[in-house]
Amino acid sequence: MKKAIYPGSFDPVTFGHLDVIERAAAMFDELTVSVLNNVAKSSLFSVEERVNILKEATKDLENVKVDSFSGLLIDYAASRDIHVAIRGLRAITDFEYELQTAQTNSMLSKGSLDTVFLTTSLEYAYLSSSSVKEIAYFGGDISQCVPDFVKELVYEKYKQIKGK
Ligand code: PNS
């Protein structure tokens, strides 16, 4: 069985991520989308919320599983017998960091974890979770960036934060 993992922060998942998920799911028998539980990075949504959002957003893709992980990606992947990591490349600006991470993972795993890059579809090349959050924070329209139910959850989150 050809398995792959798509790790990330997904805070929140965007149409760009969903495009990569759909395309990777078509290439592998099983795709695990896994949310990094990163204590060092503050996030808008908790890991549990992000997992639930991803589950809802990918519910029609039968071979997609959603999970979370802590620690090193190579350890998590090895524990699930997964040897391919998927990452999306939006622009040349992503490349340096992604190349370094992919090579580090290859070195750390002694070649057991390879990274496959999918270039983001042009229509989503400008999208990032950070810009989605910034637009929403200032009351802008994020309809073209995230599914409707995610849009509502993001606005609701900022309403709660600002109401405090
Ligand atoms: O969506 P992001 O924030 O760009 O995802 C980054 C992620 C989660 C893929 C990356 O930070 C990661 O894999 N972190 C786990 C820790 C790890 O394995 N580090 C070693 C590689 S440098």
Side-chain angles (χ1 to χ4, degrees), residues 30-42:
E30 186 183 281
L31 177 71
T32 302
V33 182
S34 202
V35 178
L36 174 66
N37 188 353
N38 187 351
V39 282
K41 199 170 160 185
S42 69

Side-chain angles (χ1 to χ4, degrees), residues 61-87:
L61 298 169
E62 280 177 11
N63 62 336
V64 173
K65 289 177 165 182
V66 183
D67 201 355
S68 63
F69 74 106
S70 309
L72 292 177
L73 176 64
I74 57 151
D75 293 332
Y76 172 77
S79 73
R80 276 160 181 72
D81 198 25
I82 298 175
H83 303 283
V84 177
I86 303 288
R87 292 289 288 169

Side-chain angles (χ1 to χ4, degrees), residues 5 8-9 21 33 39-41 55 57 83 87 92 99 102 122 131-132 134 143:
I5 179 170
S9 301
I21 291 171
V33 182
V39 282
K41 199 170 160 185
K55 280 185 179 164
H83 303 283
R87 292 289 288 169
I92 197 75
L99 179 69
L122 273 182
S131 55
V132 166
E134 190 166 315
S143 315

Side-chain angles (χ1 to χ4, degrees), residues 5-26 31-36 41 45 50 53-55 57-58 61 64-66 86-90 94 97-98 118-133 144-147 150 154:
I5 179 170
Y6 180 23
S9 301
F10 305 108
D11 186 40
V13 68
T14 67
F15 283 135
H17 296 128
L18 291 170
D19 170 55
V20 169
I21 291 171
E22 270 180 38
R23 288 159 56 211
L31 177 71
T32 302
V33 182
S34 202
V35 178
L36 174 66
K41 199 170 160 185
F45 291 98
R50 283 178 272 161
I53 291 171
L54 276 162
K55 280 185 179 164
T58 60
L61 298 169
V64 173
K65 289 177 165 182
V66 183
I86 303 288
R87 292 289 288 169
L89 282 179
R90 286 167 300 190
D94 285 340
Y97 166 78
E98 292 296 344
L118 292 183
T119 50
T120 306
S121 299
L122 273 182
E123 61 201 295
Y124 304 124
Y126 63 92
L127 267 183
S128 75
S129 298
S130 309
S131 55
V132 166
K133 285 182 280 193
Q144 290 181 75
C145 309
V146 298
V150 180
V154 174

